[in-house]
Amino acid sequence: MSFSGHHVQKASKRPFPLESLLMPQVPRSNYLHFQEEKQRLQLKKFLLHRMFLVAKIPAHTDKKDIAEYYEQVFQSILKHHLGEMVTGLLLIYPTSILHILESSNGTLFRILLDYLDRERNENEFLIQGMKIIVVSHNIPTRLFMQWHVSVIKVPVMYLDDVTQSQSLEEVITEFLTQTHKLGLHLFKTVKVGTKGPGDNLHQVAPELLLPEQIIKYLCKSEEFLDPATFIQMYNNPIHVTLDSEVVWPAPTRF
């Protein structure tokens, strides 16, 4: 009997196989699940796009008028496109602007339409000669958590004009590289709900600011589309009817 009791006591220390399977497991995840959860929490109801714009402004333009104009446009569009907020960055130089916008395709389309309407109906609109540098479609997430405006009050001095010695491809590469670095800097340093870098960005991160001559150079480049041409291409049908499809009599197919 003592041997049997000792055997039972020893066996009781071993967990029953079924019992070990039923024990609560620590939830584990991976990077894919993290990204999927991040996308779900954003409650994305539309595809997200990012647009890079450059334009010229008259030297006498009040910089506050530019910011107020875009804020009014955003509020007007938001009434028809609920939940499709606009984020990005507006850099106002002495005679030009650099504008990065993130939103749905319909919202970006309406922003361009409003610009064209103002340009046609106003004698001297405060934003002139706009060019679309690049549009990134279906981006996975926003680089900017809100819409920032920064006035570059103090001109930044540069040793030489890179647009005189570099090709267009090199200028565009520098343009995209610097804007991406600046966006990452703001993403890491600016808290959600704050006003952003304000008008001292040239003091906080002067090495990340693009020279204004690059923006002026891009405004003059004929390789980039203006909003009117871009919208015309946007509205054109994708399907093109070939001449062989409209000849008469119709060709016989076997």
Side-chain angles (χ1 to χ4, degrees):
M1 294 295 293
S2 60
F3 176 79
S4 176
H6 177 74
H7 177 73
V8 173
Q9 184 179 3
K10 184 177 181 181
S12 62
K13 295 181 180 180
R14 299 178 181 176
F16 192 73
L18 181 60
E19 182 181 356
S20 63
L21 294 177
L22 297 178
M23 291 178 62
Q25 301 293 325
V26 177
R28 299 183 181 275
S29 183
N30 53 35
Y31 187 73
L32 175 61
H33 294 159
F34 172 78
Q35 291 293 334
E36 292 175 346
E37 180 68 9
K38 186 177 181 181
Q39 292 289 92
R40 186 187 67 81
L41 292 176
Q42 288 182 345
L43 298 177
K44 290 178 59 177
K45 299 179 181 179
F46 55 89
L47 296 179
L48 191 61
H49 309 280
R50 183 181 298 125
M51 179 180 290
F52 295 79
L53 304 171
V54 295
K56 297 177 292 183
I57 58 175
H60 58 80
T61 303
D62 188 351
K63 307 307 185 289
K64 293 182 179 179
D65 293 341
I66 301 176
E68 291 177 356
Y69 159 70
Y70 277 111
E71 289 175 354
Q72 293 175 359
V73 173
F74 297 161
Q75 292 297 327
S76 177
I77 296 176
L78 192 60
K79 296 178 181 179
H80 305 280
H81 294 253
L82 297 178
E84 300 182 13
M85 62 178 295
V86 178
T87 59
L89 175 66
L90 173 62
L91 295 182
I92 306 178
Y93 289 82
T95 59
S96 62
I97 64 172
L98 164 61
H99 204 180
I100 307 174
L101 297 168
E102 297 175 335
S103 190
S104 68
N105 192 49
T107 297
L108 297 178
F109 185 75
R110 285 179 173 267
I111 293 174
L112 296 178
L113 284 178
D114 189 273
Y115 165 78
L116 287 177
D117 183 66
R118 299 293 185 101
E119 187 183 38
R120 293 167 181 169
N121 298 327
E122 297 186 13
N123 294 331
E124 187 178 355
F125 186 46
L126 47 86
I127 303 174
Q128 304 170 357
M130 179 179 291
K131 289 294 182 64
I132 301 172
I133 304 304
V134 66
V135 181
S136 301
H137 296 283
N138 195 18
I139 57 179
T141 186
R142 296 179 185 267
L143 183 59
F144 304 91
M145 294 298 101
Q146 58 195 59
W147 187 65
H148 305 289
V149 179
S150 184
V151 178
I152 312 301
K153 294 182 178 180
V154 180
V156 184
M157 302 303 295
Y158 299 94
L159 297 178
D160 57 352
D161 186 354
V162 296
T163 61
Q164 300 297 324
S165 58
Q166 294 181 348
S167 64
L168 178 61
E169 290 76 11
E170 292 173 330
V171 174
I172 286 296
T173 300
E174 181 177 355
F175 172 84
L176 295 176
T177 302
Q178 288 296 99
T179 52
H180 184 69
K181 289 181 178 179
L182 180 59
L184 288 177
H185 172 76
L186 297 177
F187 180 81
K188 296 177 181 178
T189 57
V190 177
K191 297 181 180 180
V192 179
T194 60
K195 293 184 179 181
D199 295 340
N200 63 340
L201 189 58
H202 58 278
Q203 298 175 349
V204 177
E207 72 282 358
L208 299 179
L209 288 178
L210 280 169
E212 188 178 18
Q213 63 258 29
I214 288 184
I215 300 176
K216 291 182 177 181
Y217 172 79
L218 296 177
C219 289
K220 298 178 182 179
S221 299
E222 299 180 355
E223 287 81 0
F224 303 106
L225 299 179
D226 58 89
T229 306
F230 179 84
I231 291 177
Q232 182 180 3
M233 294 179 59
Y234 180 88
N235 290 328
N236 284 340
I238 298 178
H239 178 72
V240 179
T241 303
L242 302 177
D243 291 340
S244 61
E245 298 177 356
V246 295
V247 297
W248 185 260
T252 303
R253 293 182 174 84
F254 296 94

